[in-house]
Amino acid sequence: MALFMAVASATWGHAGFFSPFYRIAGVLDPAAYDISLQESATGSPFWFEPQTALPGVCVHLALAGLFGMLFVLLAREGRGAGRAALVAAGVAWSLLVAVVMVPTLGLAGREVGGGALISDAPSQLGWPTYLGMHLVFGFALGVAVALVRRG
């Protein structure tokens, strides 16, 4: 998901490869996101500032891990489910996560900080990109669980 996000940002998003991580860390320092946009506009889409990117990566991985762990726990209840059903369930789960994250991002932007940079992220990224990155997450999650499942 993070790789999809970074590639989308650097290509059709015209915002820089590491900009999604600066956006996530916008509650700490929104300036890095703005600098990333400026650098990308001047032909340097790979501008990197680790002090701000690392917290963004960590928050993103923590959320992906949390939602992935919840999916694995729920998937354990469907012991008789086939591999295709697990992949489909992973995709459906990712769409649920996308829906849950919209008000969560709004709340985080207002209450934690970061403002519109956080709260308006889905619409600023573009809804197809926002849903696409979640679908990539769900597909990979479903495949991983299906491959690990014995039988």
Side-chain angles (χ1 to χ4, degrees):
M1 179 178 182
L3 182 58
F4 178 87
M5 223 171 46
V7 169
S9 179
T11 55
W12 64 83
H14 308 290
F17 188 82
F18 298 102
S19 293
F21 307 116
Y22 303 136
R23 176 188 297 274
I24 294 168
V27 295
L28 301 173
D29 181 16
Y33 179 77
D34 295 335
I35 294 169
S36 180
L37 292 179
Q38 293 168 355
E39 290 292 322
S40 182
T42 60
S44 182
F46 295 101
W47 178 78
F48 183 65
E49 198 281 301
Q51 188 172 352
T52 307
L54 185 60
V57 169
C58 290
V59 167
H60 191 264
L61 286 175
L63 286 171
L66 171 71
F67 286 117
M69 179 184 64
L70 290 173
F71 177 76
V72 169
L73 292 173
L74 290 171
R76 287 180 52 165
E77 296 302 318
R79 297 175 207 269
R83 290 184 174 177
L86 288 169
V87 173
V91 169
W93 177 254
S94 71
L95 292 175
L96 178 64
V97 169
V99 169
V100 166
M101 285 307 296
V102 170
T104 302
L105 289 169
L107 180 67
R110 285 189 310 277
E111 301 299 325
V112 179
L117 185 61
I118 303 295
S119 63
D120 297 342
S123 61
Q124 289 177 2
L125 292 170
W127 289 100
T129 301
Y130 178 76
L131 291 174
M133 67 187 198
H134 283 87
L135 289 172
V136 166
F137 169 71
F139 180 77
L141 185 59
V143 167
V145 170
L147 290 174
V148 170
R149 168 89 34 109
R150 295 183 195 265

